[in-house]
Amino acid sequence: MNKIQMTETIINAKLSKAVSWESLAAEVGLDPVFLTSACLGMNSLKAEAAESLCRLLELPDSIATQLQQCPLKQWDQAVPTDPLIYRLYEIVGVYGGTIKELIHEKFGDGIMSAIDFSMNIEKEENPAGDRVKVTMNGKFLPYKSW
Amino acid sequence: MNKIQMTETIINAKLSKAVSWESLAAEVGLDPVFLTSACLGMNSLKAEAAESLCRLLELPDSIATQLQQCPLKQWDQAVPTDPLIYRLYEIVGVYGGTIKELIHEKFGDGIMSAIDFSMNIEKEENPAGDRVKVTMNGKFLPYKSW
Amino acid sequence: MNKIQMTETIINAKLSKAVSWESLAAEVGLDPVFLTSACLGMNSLKAEAAESLCRLLELPDSIATQLQQCPLKQWDQAVPTDPLIYRLYEIVGVYGGTIKELIHEKFGDGIMSAIDFSMNIEKEENPAGDRVKVTMNGKFLPYKSW
Amino acid sequence: MNKIQMTETIINAKLSKAVSWESLAAEVGLDPVFLTSACLGMNSLKAEAAESLCRLLELPDSIATQLQQCPLKQWDQAVPTDPLIYRLYEIVGVYGGTIKELIHEKFGDGIMSAIDFSMNIEKEENPAGDRVKVTMNGKFLPYKSW
Amino acid sequence: MNKIQMTETIINAKLSKAVSWESLAAEVGLDPVFLTSACLGMNSLKAEAAESLCRLLELPDSIATQLQQCPLKQWDQAVPTDPLIYRLYEIVGVYGGTIKELIHEKFGDGIMSAIDFSMNIEKEENPAGDRVKVTMNGKFLPYKSW
Amino acid sequence: MNKIQMTETIINAKLSKAVSWESLAAEVGLDPVFLTSACLGMNSLKAEAAESLCRLLELPDSIATQLQQCPLKQWDQAVPTDPLIYRLYEIVGVYGGTIKELIHEKFGDGIMSAIDFSMNIEKEENPAGDRVKVTMNGKFLPYKSW
Amino acid sequence: MNKIQMTETIINAKLSKAVSWESLAAEVGLDPVFLTSACLGMNSLKAEAAESLCRLLELPDSIATQLQQCPLKQWDQAVPTDPLIYRLYEIVGVYGGTIKELIHEKFGDGIMSAIDFSMNIEKEENPAGDRVKVTMNGKFLPYKSW
Amino acid sequence: MNKIQMTETIINAKLSKAVSWESLAAEVGLDPVFLTSACLGMNSLKAEAAESLCRLLELPDSIATQLQQCPLKQWDQAVPTDPLIYRLYEIVGVYGGTIKELIHEKFGDGIMSAIDFSMNIEKEENPAGDRVKVTMNGKFLPYKSW
Amino acid sequence: MNKIQMTETIINAKLSKAVSWESLAAEVGLDPVFLTSACLGMNSLKAEAAESLCRLLELPDSIATQLQQCPLKQWDQAVPTDPLIYRLYEIVGVYGGTIKELIHEKFGDGIMSAIDFSMNIEKEENPAGDRVKVTMNGKFLPYKSW
Amino acid sequence: MNKIQMTETIINAKLSKAVSWESLAAEVGLDPVFLTSACLGMNSLKAEAAESLCRLLELPDSIATQLQQCPLKQWDQAVPTDPLIYRLYEIVGVYGGTIKELIHEKFGDGIMSAIDFSMNIEKEENPAGDRVKVTMNGKFLPYKSW
């Protein structure tokens, strides 16, 4: 059992039970972004959440154990090709320098943490076409001077 | 005069006048993210905004003209090295698959536009350490079937 | 069952039935470009089209289900080596700057969508050698200012 | 004088005369795509067209000479970053395999030439948003067997 | 059955029959370069040649069918490492600019086709050490102006 | 004075005298491929040839000296983008394995030298379109066993 | 004035005054690693430290100003070639997985911060050859669950 | 049996016995960093240590034999993506030049060995958040002059 | 049977017989470098040597046959990561320009052959630490002028 | 004055005095490989050698100073293109695994140092063609266990 097999098992169970990430997350008591990322092998769950998810999807203990392992976070494509993911990459390319200017202006020298970090995704209904709203929230970490 | 010279001129003027992107944006009537991105050569301004900015910074007409040109958006580092910008890249790598799952779950097959798109950056005060809040808002574009 | 297995199954069925993409597309009621791209795992079909195709090729329901999944669009070669595909890449390299100049001249700052997009391919008979005609049609998306 | 200096000189003259590629092309008697590509250093002009263009823009003979040189066609970004040009690259990635299938189905083994090739760009007005129409037309070249 | 399996089957049959590419090509009535490239999955054969080869090597019809498919021409190493193949790559690097100068001098603006193309390889006996003679013959394709 | 400045000086002199590589080579007594490659900084000339060329083009001694230096042969694009040069690269990719098979069949284990090597380029007139003929001739070097 | 010019100016002043990083750091009241990194353009100094350094090296105010700017941290070589720096890269390659195992074992899921971070370098005298001792000290940041 | 299979076997045994790297290392008499790196296939053990580890984990002799083989040290990601490992890479990028300056200042021209090298990892408890302390200790190797 | 399977079979036989490359080479009558390189699939053996090696290691004829095939010499890592092999790569990077200067000074324009080439490796005992001595011997090949 | 300017100055002086690296090295009392590498900016000289060289070439003190600086050893081409240098790279690719096997067989686990290292280059006269002999001599460094 490794993270890749874990993800395949969870996705198959989710499809055959026809449940959404959102409803699973609500029952486990986590945000859908965090729960999904753990199921995709990009975060680890605490024991209680892992066991709760496995009860919901009727999965064996080995999945719950694997969900608690610290993942090795890897991706193969330095520049992602999937259009949905590429657009996020493009936003970093186009607006990265701008975000840097504005964070330094508001906070001083430092960065936004990607570890002490949360994100959520919302659907904003709009007659001219619905909109995706992605909110990122990360702790500001000032550079230490020593 | 090209976009690189334009950016250098604007940044020098901004430094010598000791004004912030935020205050410039408020006076021009645009969001600081959009105004900054245009000044860094990653977006174009409408004539009125370009002229307004040049009046505020006492810059010549050639800058206003250049601000209105459609930019060639280029970046050299496929993987950015600056830690602040890298963290954004890392978020795309770690959460890209998750965002894809959840947008498809909420909207069906399609993407979040990076063109019909806006973003803003806020400072969230917090006794455990202030937090950076980045909000992205893009139109959902369904794949056309033909 | 994943998209790669789906594609292999469809191509084998198509070969053994000796039908063309064009005739399959006509019967399903879609353009050959769109139908073929869905069969190659680069687009998703609506339920009706997926089921219609599977009836034509006598394929099981699992293929119809897989055809409706939102695909992860990936390609391995940043620069394609197959001569037919490379020529398209070369056209982007040689004419990309020109297309940018002319779209901005006709429409202003923005892009041609690759999502709200269709394409078709025709054979143009010509005594000096037949010609391939590729027509791309994408919505113009103006950059939003905010 | 080299191709890069030639392009800068032409673009400055075009801006100061406030003429469009389209009107220049009409006066020279070439398609705007071809004329623009030659001015950007990606094609060469015949003597008559080069001299005609230089008369229109009041440019010296050295520009006309340079326009007639066979260009070394180079681009630096294997994967282009500008969003407008990237979308074209993405179309090659997403639809390259599909185009290959359909050209082989219609013509047999061979390719669409990128040399005996023409392209044009049109604006298609549409109440739901104007559309960009790009038409490529290349000679089919069958693989020689020997 | 795919092109890779086809190649392995042909090479094993060729080894066990101890025949050379040259003799196979003579019997099939094609140049050894073309026949070998088709067997390595880099060209397609006409039905008659494919069937003739399969009779000679006592291979099943599925091989003859596969030999007629239009191949997806791919190579993994952008810079080849095998010394024999690298030397060819090096020749392109060292003499590419020279070949460009001389083709333009003799023919004008255009290229040598790699599709309407043939090549042959000869052994030139020489007391100071035998020599390899590689002759490439491609149609000159002038750039179209439109 | 370095090789790059040398090349620019020679090309300017050649243009202003309106002489061809072919006629220069005939007068110096070398093949046009070799002479051109030396002028482009990819080979060195013997003193006599260097001086002869400089007399013909009325160039100073420093050019003759530079032509005799052993060049550092460098190219920037691992995969060349110019269509004429790319086609040569593509031929190596498509036919590299085939050439390897046939050289080993004719000569045993070893390579074709790119150093003890010559090449020439001819125009083959043809009513169906003139053809480019490139002939490479390199010493076979067997792998030494020790 | 930019960070690159700032660094050149400081290094020249340091050489002509023949002072060491260590003595400069002691006088400014910072660790030599931090002071050096700021002078090389990889960290920013507080106003007091920047002014103190400029007094010591008799440098103009513009250097003190530049030292306080938030730097864009960039490096060109994804894999460094200088042997001293490469050895550090090699240590990350050889021991990265090991460090990951042990940090997770001691702390749980999370990372060592490279921002709330300090480092120092010492010389350890040893009759068998002196040794370099590098100590890194970074805050453990647990992954946030939400 | 190869190094990859060896690592999987050891990690499974370690998990089922629920022992830590630290306790294993203490019993074998090695530092946890060194023992872990050998188990991950990045160092070799002496016979006694290999056998001692296999007794503790009840593993067969083939594992002890494999632990003694000299490993081929390979990693696939030139730039690691796992955030914990990336931070180490980032430290090399940000501080590599600084470390070079200070080692040369203290020792003269040479490097810190990554072979005659040891490292240890400690947890530093801290009310403001525990800290990771990584200490590297490598022999200084002066460049030989000859 | 291919070269990779051949290498695995030989290495297993060598391990179970506990013989060294050096003793095998002595019995076969070749230098250990050449014999080892052939066993690793980077050179081919003559029939007699291949059969002699197979007798010594009690391997089947298929191994002897495979040892005689001309290998496709490939390596995956453009920059090797194993520290022992990287040091050789580093020597090429650091001293490549120097070797070029000195070979041209001693021999004129040309190269050292890597085909008509031999190498041997010796242990040089030394009280200050044993030393590795690698000797390369390649034919000088002058560039041909034509 | 930097290392690049230093190298240009030395090479110009060497050319105008028409002295060889070999004779310069003999007069300074160093091996030609080491002296040349220092002049090319890849090693540093002790004060005495630097001053001696500058006297011989009649160069100013600033060159002697620069020769003593610890160089930042960088190369741009991960895979070198110059044929002479590429052959050395190819030898590392073809024989790297073999050298690793034989060093481990003779010395145990460890590497050949590229720092405590020397190299020399000799011309071996041979009626069948002179040969280049390159001898590398590096200290064996065993991996430390801790």
Side-chain angles (χ1 to χ4, degrees):
Chain A
M1 175 66 57
N2 59 33
K3 290 278 181 185
I4 290 169
Q5 295 161 336
M6 177 197 83
T7 295
E8 287 173 359
T9 306
I10 291 172
I11 282 184
N12 284 337
K14 172 179 170 290
L15 283 173
S16 70
K17 292 204 175 288
V19 288
S20 66
W21 294 115
E22 208 154 339
S23 66
L24 285 171
E27 294 203 56
V28 171
L30 289 169
D31 187 274
V33 170
F34 189 76
L35 184 77
T36 306
S37 72
C39 292
L40 297 185
M42 284 293 188
N43 268 313
S44 60
L45 291 187
K46 297 282 184 291
E48 199 183 356
E51 285 154 12
S52 161
L53 180 74
C54 288
R55 269 195 307 278
L56 288 164
L57 291 174
E58 296 181 83
L59 295 169
D61 285 358
S62 58
I63 299 294
T65 304
Q66 194 57 236
L67 279 163
Q68 297 171 61
Q69 301 302 306
C70 301
L72 183 71
K73 303 181 179 186
Q74 288 191 307
W75 51 95
D76 288 341
Q77 297 187 303
V79 178
T81 57
D82 184 79
L84 188 149
I85 304 175
Y86 182 82
R87 297 305 179 273
L88 299 166
Y89 173 83
E90 187 176 286
I91 290 166
V92 174
V94 172
Y95 293 101
T98 292
I99 296 172
K100 185 172 167 71
E101 283 286 324
L102 292 175
I103 289 180
H104 291 331
E105 182 168 303
K106 283 178 198 288
F107 295 86
D109 203 354
I111 68 160
M112 176 181 78
S113 180
I115 308 297
D116 187 338
F117 171 83
S118 67
M119 177 173 22
N120 74 314
I121 297 172
E122 289 161 279
K123 181 177 192 168
E124 206 180 84
E125 306 220 339
N126 187 317
D130 293 345
R131 300 184 73 83
V132 183
K133 189 171 156 195
V134 177
T135 312
M136 299 173 175
N137 186 303
K139 191 177 182 182
F140 176 71
L141 304 179
Y143 278 108
K144 182 189 166 92
S145 155
W146 75 94
Chain B
M1 174 68 58
N2 59 33
K3 291 276 180 185
I4 291 169
Q5 295 161 337
M6 174 197 86
T7 295
E8 287 173 358
T9 307
I10 291 172
I11 282 183
N12 284 338
K14 172 179 170 289
L15 283 173
S16 71
K17 292 204 176 286
V19 288
S20 66
W21 294 116
E22 209 155 338
S23 65
L24 285 170
E27 295 203 56
V28 170
L30 289 169
D31 187 272
V33 170
F34 189 77
L35 184 77
T36 306
S37 71
C39 292
L40 297 184
M42 285 291 187
N43 269 312
S44 59
L45 290 186
K46 299 281 183 292
E48 197 182 356
E51 285 154 13
S52 161
L53 181 74
C54 287
R55 271 196 305 279
L56 287 164
L57 291 173
E58 298 180 83
L59 294 169
D61 285 357
S62 58
I63 299 292
T65 303
Q66 194 56 238
L67 279 163
Q68 298 172 60
Q69 302 302 305
C70 301
L72 183 71
K73 302 179 179 188
Q74 287 192 307
W75 51 95
D76 288 341
Q77 297 186 305
V79 179
T81 57
D82 184 79
L84 188 148
I85 304 175
Y86 182 81
R87 296 307 180 272
L88 298 167
Y89 172 83
E90 187 177 287
I91 289 166
V92 174
V94 172
Y95 293 101
T98 292
I99 296 171
K100 184 172 168 70
E101 283 286 323
L102 292 175
I103 288 180
H104 291 330
E105 182 168 304
K106 282 177 200 289
F107 295 86
D109 203 355
I111 68 159
M112 177 180 80
S113 180
I115 308 297
D116 186 337
F117 171 83
S118 67
M119 178 171 25
N120 76 312
I121 297 173
E122 290 161 278
K123 181 178 192 168
E124 203 179 85
E125 307 222 336
N126 187 318
D130 293 345
R131 299 184 73 82
V132 183
K133 190 170 155 195
V134 177
T135 311
M136 298 172 176
N137 185 304
K139 190 177 183 182
F140 176 72
L141 304 179
Y143 278 107
K144 182 190 167 90
S145 158
W146 74 94
Chain C
M1 174 67 59
N2 58 32
K3 290 278 182 185
I4 291 169
Q5 294 161 338
M6 177 197 83
T7 295
E8 287 172 0
T9 307
I10 291 172
I11 283 185
N12 284 338
K14 172 179 171 290
L15 283 173
S16 70
K17 292 204 176 287
V19 288
S20 65
W21 294 115
E22 209 155 337
S23 65
L24 285 171
E27 295 201 55
V28 171
L30 290 169
D31 188 273
V33 170
F34 189 76
L35 184 77
T36 305
S37 73
C39 292
L40 297 184
M42 284 293 188
N43 268 313
S44 59
L45 291 187
K46 298 281 183 290
E48 197 181 358
E51 286 154 12
S52 161
L53 180 74
C54 288
R55 269 196 307 276
L56 288 164
L57 291 173
E58 296 181 84
L59 294 169
D61 285 357
S62 58
I63 298 294
T65 303
Q66 195 56 238
L67 279 163
Q68 298 171 60
Q69 302 301 306
C70 302
L72 183 70
K73 304 180 178 187
Q74 288 192 307
W75 52 94
D76 289 340
Q77 297 187 305
V79 179
T81 57
D82 183 79
L84 187 148
I85 304 176
Y86 182 82
R87 296 307 180 271
L88 299 167
Y89 172 84
E90 187 176 287
I91 289 165
V92 175
V94 172
Y95 292 100
T98 291
I99 297 171
K100 186 173 167 70
E101 283 286 323
L102 292 175
I103 288 180
H104 291 331
E105 183 168 302
K106 283 177 198 289
F107 295 85
D109 203 354
I111 68 160
M112 177 181 78
S113 181
I115 308 297
D116 187 338
F117 171 83
S118 66
M119 176 171 24
N120 75 314
I121 297 173
E122 290 161 277
K123 181 176 191 169
E124 204 179 84
E125 306 220 339
N126 188 316
D130 294 344
R131 299 184 73 84
V132 183
K133 190 171 155 194
V134 177
T135 312
M136 299 173 175
N137 186 303
K139 191 178 182 182
F140 176 71
L141 304 179
Y143 278 108
K144 182 188 166 91
S145 157
W146 75 93
Chain D
M1 174 66 59
N2 58 33
K3 290 275 180 186
I4 290 168
Q5 295 161 337
M6 174 197 86
T7 295
E8 288 173 359
T9 307
I10 291 172
I11 282 184
N12 284 338
K14 172 179 170 289
L15 283 174
S16 72
K17 292 202 176 288
V19 288
S20 65
W21 294 116
E22 209 154 340
S23 66
L24 284 171
E27 296 203 55
V28 172
L30 289 169
D31 187 273
V33 170
F34 189 76
L35 184 77
T36 306
S37 72
C39 293
L40 297 184
M42 285 291 187
N43 269 313
S44 60
L45 291 187
K46 299 280 184 291
E48 198 183 355
E51 284 154 12
S52 162
L53 180 74
C54 288
R55 270 196 306 277
L56 288 165
L57 292 174
E58 296 180 84
L59 294 169
D61 285 357
S62 58
I63 299 292
T65 304
Q66 195 56 238
L67 279 163
Q68 297 171 63
Q69 301 302 305
C70 301
L72 184 70
K73 303 180 178 186
Q74 289 192 306
W75 51 96
D76 288 341
Q77 298 187 304
V79 179
T81 58
D82 183 79
L84 188 148
I85 303 175
Y86 182 81
R87 296 307 180 271
L88 299 167
Y89 172 83
E90 188 177 285
I91 289 166
V92 175
V94 172
Y95 293 101
T98 291
I99 297 171
K100 184 172 168 69
E101 283 286 324
L102 292 175
I103 289 180
H104 290 331
E105 182 168 303
K106 283 177 199 289
F107 295 85
D109 204 354
I111 68 160
M112 177 181 80
S113 180
I115 308 298
D116 186 337
F117 172 83
S118 66
M119 177 170 26
N120 75 312
I121 297 174
E122 290 160 277
K123 182 178 192 167
E124 203 179 84
E125 307 222 337
N126 187 318
D130 293 345
R131 300 184 73 83
V132 183
K133 190 170 155 194
V134 177
T135 311
M136 298 173 176
N137 185 303
K139 190 177 183 183
F140 176 73
L141 304 178
Y143 278 108
K144 181 190 167 92
S145 157
W146 74 94
Chain E
M1 173 68 58
N2 59 32
K3 290 278 182 186
I4 291 169
Q5 295 161 338
M6 176 196 85
T7 296
E8 286 172 0
T9 306
I10 291 172
I11 284 184
N12 284 337
K14 171 178 172 291
L15 284 173
S16 71
K17 293 204 175 287
V19 289
S20 65
W21 294 115
E22 208 154 339
S23 66
L24 285 171
E27 295 203 54
V28 171
L30 290 168
D31 187 273
V33 170
F34 188 77
L35 183 77
T36 306
S37 72
C39 292
L40 298 184
M42 284 292 188
N43 268 312
S44 60
L45 290 187
K46 298 280 184 291
E48 196 181 359
E51 285 154 13
S52 161
L53 181 73
C54 288
R55 269 196 307 277
L56 288 164
L57 291 174
E58 296 180 83
L59 294 170
D61 285 358
S62 57
I63 298 294
T65 303
Q66 195 56 238
L67 278 163
Q68 297 171 60
Q69 302 301 306
C70 302
L72 184 70
K73 304 180 177 187
Q74 288 192 306
W75 52 94
D76 289 340
Q77 298 187 303
V79 179
T81 58
D82 183 79
L84 187 148
I85 304 176
Y86 182 82
R87 295 308 178 271
L88 299 167
Y89 172 83
E90 187 176 288
I91 288 165
V92 174
V94 172
Y95 293 100
T98 291
I99 297 172
K100 186 172 167 70
E101 283 286 323
L102 293 175
I103 288 179
H104 292 329
E105 183 168 304
K106 283 178 198 290
F107 295 85
D109 204 353
I111 68 160
M112 176 181 79
S113 180
I115 308 298
D116 187 339
F117 171 83
S118 67
M119 175 170 27
N120 74 314
I121 297 173
E122 291 160 276
K123 181 175 191 169
E124 202 179 87
E125 307 220 339
N126 187 317
D130 293 344
R131 299 184 74 83
V132 183
K133 190 171 156 194
V134 177
T135 312
M136 298 173 176
N137 185 303
K139 190 177 183 182
F140 175 71
L141 303 179
Y143 278 108
K144 181 187 166 92
S145 157
W146 75 93
Chain F
M1 175 66 59
N2 59 33
K3 290 276 180 185
I4 290 169
Q5 295 161 336
M6 174 197 87
T7 296
E8 288 173 359
T9 307
I10 291 172
I11 283 184
N12 284 337
K14 172 178 171 290
L15 283 173
S16 72
K17 291 202 175 289
V19 288
S20 65
W21 294 115
E22 208 154 341
S23 66
L24 284 171
E27 296 203 55
V28 172
L30 289 169
D31 186 273
V33 171
F34 189 76
L35 184 77
T36 306
S37 71
C39 292
L40 298 184
M42 285 292 187
N43 269 313
S44 60
L45 291 187
K46 298 281 182 292
E48 198 183 355
E51 285 154 12
S52 161
L53 181 74
C54 288
R55 269 195 308 277
L56 288 164
L57 292 173
E58 296 181 85
L59 294 169
D61 285 358
S62 58
I63 298 293
T65 303
Q66 195 56 237
L67 279 163
Q68 297 172 63
Q69 301 302 306
C70 301
L72 184 69
K73 302 179 178 186
Q74 288 191 306
W75 50 95
D76 288 341
Q77 298 186 304
V79 179
T81 57
D82 184 79
L84 188 148
I85 304 175
Y86 182 81
R87 296 307 179 272
L88 298 167
Y89 172 83
E90 186 177 285
I91 289 166
V92 175
V94 171
Y95 293 100
T98 291
I99 297 171
K100 185 172 167 70
E101 283 287 324
L102 292 175
I103 289 180
H104 291 331
E105 182 168 303
K106 283 178 199 289
F107 295 86
D109 204 355
I111 67 160
M112 177 180 80
S113 180
I115 308 299
D116 187 336
F117 171 84
S118 66
M119 177 171 23
N120 75 312
I121 296 173
E122 290 161 277
K123 181 177 191 167
E124 205 180 83
E125 307 221 337
N126 187 316
D130 293 345
R131 301 185 72 85
V132 183
K133 190 170 155 195
V134 177
T135 311
M136 298 174 176
N137 186 304
K139 191 177 183 183
F140 175 72
L141 303 179
Y143 278 107
K144 181 190 166 94
S145 157
W146 75 94
Chain G
M1 174 68 59
N2 58 33
K3 290 276 180 186
I4 291 169
Q5 294 161 338
M6 174 197 86
T7 296
E8 287 173 359
T9 307
I10 291 171
I11 283 184
N12 284 338
K14 172 179 170 290
L15 283 174
S16 72
K17 292 203 175 288
V19 287
S20 65
W21 294 116
E22 207 154 342
S23 65
L24 286 170
E27 295 202 56
V28 171
L30 289 168
D31 187 273
V33 170
F34 188 77
L35 183 77
T36 306
S37 71
C39 292
L40 297 184
M42 285 292 188
N43 269 312
S44 60
L45 291 187
K46 298 281 183 292
E48 197 182 358
E51 285 154 13
S52 162
L53 181 74
C54 288
R55 270 196 306 278
L56 287 164
L57 291 174
E58 297 181 82
L59 294 169
D61 285 357
S62 59
I63 298 293
T65 303
Q66 195 56 239
L67 279 163
Q68 297 172 61
Q69 301 302 306
C70 302
L72 183 70
K73 303 179 179 188
Q74 288 191 306
W75 51 96
D76 289 339
Q77 297 186 305
V79 178
T81 56
D82 184 79
L84 188 147
I85 304 175
Y86 182 82
R87 295 308 179 271
L88 299 167
Y89 172 83
E90 186 176 287
I91 289 166
V92 174
V94 172
Y95 294 101
T98 292
I99 297 171
K100 184 171 167 72
E101 283 286 324
L102 293 175
I103 288 180
H104 290 331
E105 182 168 304
K106 283 177 198 290
F107 294 86
D109 203 355
I111 67 158
M112 177 180 80
S113 180
I115 308 298
D116 186 337
F117 171 83
S118 66
M119 177 172 24
N120 76 313
I121 297 172
E122 290 161 278
K123 181 178 192 168
E124 204 179 85
E125 307 221 336
N126 187 318
D130 293 344
R131 300 185 72 84
V132 183
K133 190 171 154 193
V134 177
T135 312
M136 298 172 176
N137 186 303
K139 191 178 183 181
F140 176 72
L141 304 179
Y143 278 107
K144 181 189 167 92
S145 156
W146 75 95
Chain H
M1 175 67 58
N2 59 32
K3 290 278 181 185
I4 290 169
Q5 295 161 336
M6 176 197 84
T7 296
E8 286 173 0
T9 307
I10 291 172
I11 283 184
N12 284 338
K14 173 179 170 290
L15 283 173
S16 71
K17 291 201 176 290
V19 289
S20 65
W21 294 115
E22 208 154 339
S23 66
L24 285 171
E27 295 203 56
V28 170
L30 290 169
D31 187 274
V33 170
F34 188 77
L35 184 77
T36 306
S37 72
C39 292
L40 298 184
M42 285 292 188
N43 267 314
S44 60
L45 291 187
K46 298 281 184 289
E48 198 183 355
E51 286 155 11
S52 162
L53 180 73
C54 288
R55 269 196 307 277
L56 287 165
L57 291 174
E58 296 180 82
L59 295 170
D61 284 359
S62 59
I63 299 294
T65 304
Q66 194 58 238
L67 279 163
Q68 297 171 61
Q69 302 302 306
C70 301
L72 184 70
K73 303 180 179 188
Q74 288 191 307
W75 51 95
D76 288 341
Q77 298 187 303
V79 178
T81 57
D82 184 79
L84 188 150
I85 304 176
Y86 182 81
R87 297 306 179 272
L88 299 166
Y89 173 83
E90 187 176 287
I91 289 165
V92 174
V94 172
Y95 292 101
T98 292
I99 297 172
K100 185 172 167 71
E101 282 286 323
L102 293 175
I103 288 180
H104 291 330
E105 182 168 304
K106 282 178 198 289
F107 294 86
D109 203 354
I111 68 161
M112 177 181 79
S113 180
I115 308 297
D116 187 338
F117 171 83
S118 66
M119 176 171 24
N120 74 315
I121 297 172
E122 290 161 279
K123 181 176 192 168
E124 205 179 84
E125 307 220 338
N126 187 318
D130 294 344
R131 299 185 73 84
V132 183
K133 190 170 156 195
V134 177
T135 312
M136 298 172 177
N137 186 303
K139 190 177 183 182
F140 175 72
L141 305 179
Y143 278 107
K144 181 188 167 95
S145 156
W146 74 92
Chain I
M1 175 68 57
N2 60 31
K3 290 279 181 185
I4 290 169
Q5 295 162 337
M6 175 197 84
T7 296
E8 286 172 0
T9 307
I10 291 172
I11 283 185
N12 284 338
K14 172 179 170 290
L15 283 174
S16 72
K17 291 203 176 288
V19 288
S20 66
W21 295 115
E22 207 154 341
S23 66
L24 285 171
E27 295 203 56
V28 171
L30 290 168
D31 187 274
V33 170
F34 188 76
L35 183 78
T36 305
S37 72
C39 292
L40 297 184
M42 285 292 188
N43 268 313
S44 60
L45 291 187
K46 298 281 184 291
E48 197 182 358
E51 285 154 12
S52 161
L53 180 74
C54 288
R55 270 196 306 278
L56 288 164
L57 291 174
E58 297 181 82
L59 294 170
D61 284 358
S62 59
I63 298 294
T65 304
Q66 194 57 237
L67 279 163
Q68 297 171 60
Q69 301 302 306
C70 302
L72 184 71
K73 304 180 177 187
Q74 288 191 307
W75 51 95
D76 289 340
Q77 298 187 302
V79 178
T81 57
D82 183 79
L84 188 148
I85 303 175
Y86 182 81
R87 295 308 179 273
L88 298 167
Y89 172 82
E90 187 176 287
I91 289 165
V92 175
V94 172
Y95 293 100
T98 292
I99 297 171
K100 185 172 168 72
E101 283 285 324
L102 293 175
I103 289 179
H104 291 331
E105 182 167 305
K106 282 177 198 290
F107 295 85
D109 203 353
I111 67 160
M112 176 180 78
S113 180
I115 308 297
D116 187 338
F117 171 83
S118 66
M119 176 171 24
N120 74 314
I121 297 173
E122 290 160 278
K123 181 175 192 168
E124 202 179 85
E125 306 220 339
N126 187 318
D130 293 344
R131 300 184 73 83
V132 183
K133 190 171 156 194
V134 177
T135 312
M136 298 173 177
N137 186 303
K139 190 176 182 183
F140 175 72
L141 304 179
Y143 278 108
K144 181 187 166 95
S145 157
W146 74 93
Chain J
M1 174 66 59
N2 59 33
K3 290 277 180 184
I4 290 168
Q5 295 161 337
M6 174 197 86
T7 296
E8 287 172 0
T9 307
I10 291 171
I11 283 184
N12 284 338
K14 173 179 170 291
L15 284 173
S16 71
K17 290 203 176 288
V19 288
S20 65
W21 294 115
E22 208 154 341
S23 66
L24 285 170
E27 294 203 56
V28 171
L30 289 168
D31 187 273
V33 170
F34 189 76
L35 184 77
T36 306
S37 71
C39 292
L40 298 183
M42 285 292 188
N43 269 312
S44 59
L45 291 187
K46 298 280 183 294
E48 197 181 356
E51 286 154 11
S52 162
L53 181 74
C54 288
R55 269 195 308 277
L56 288 165
L57 292 173
E58 295 181 83
L59 295 169
D61 285 358
S62 59
I63 298 293
T65 303
Q66 195 56 237
L67 279 163
Q68 297 172 62
Q69 301 302 305
C70 302
L72 183 70
K73 301 179 180 187
Q74 289 191 305
W75 52 95
D76 289 341
Q77 298 186 305
V79 178
T81 57
D82 184 79
L84 188 148
I85 304 175
Y86 181 82
R87 295 308 179 272
L88 299 166
Y89 172 83
E90 187 176 286
I91 289 165
V92 175
V94 172
Y95 293 101
T98 292
I99 297 172
K100 184 171 168 70
E101 283 286 322
L102 293 175
I103 289 180
H104 291 331
E105 182 168 303
K106 283 177 198 290
F107 295 85
D109 203 355
I111 67 159
M112 177 180 80
S113 180
I115 308 299
D116 186 337
F117 171 84
S118 66
M119 177 172 22
N120 74 313
I121 296 172
E122 290 161 276
K123 182 177 192 167
E124 205 179 84
E125 308 221 336
N126 187 318
D130 293 345
R131 300 185 72 85
V132 183
K133 190 170 156 194
V134 177
T135 312
M136 299 173 176
N137 186 305
K139 191 179 182 181
F140 175 71
L141 303 179
Y143 279 108
K144 182 189 166 92
S145 156
W146 74 95

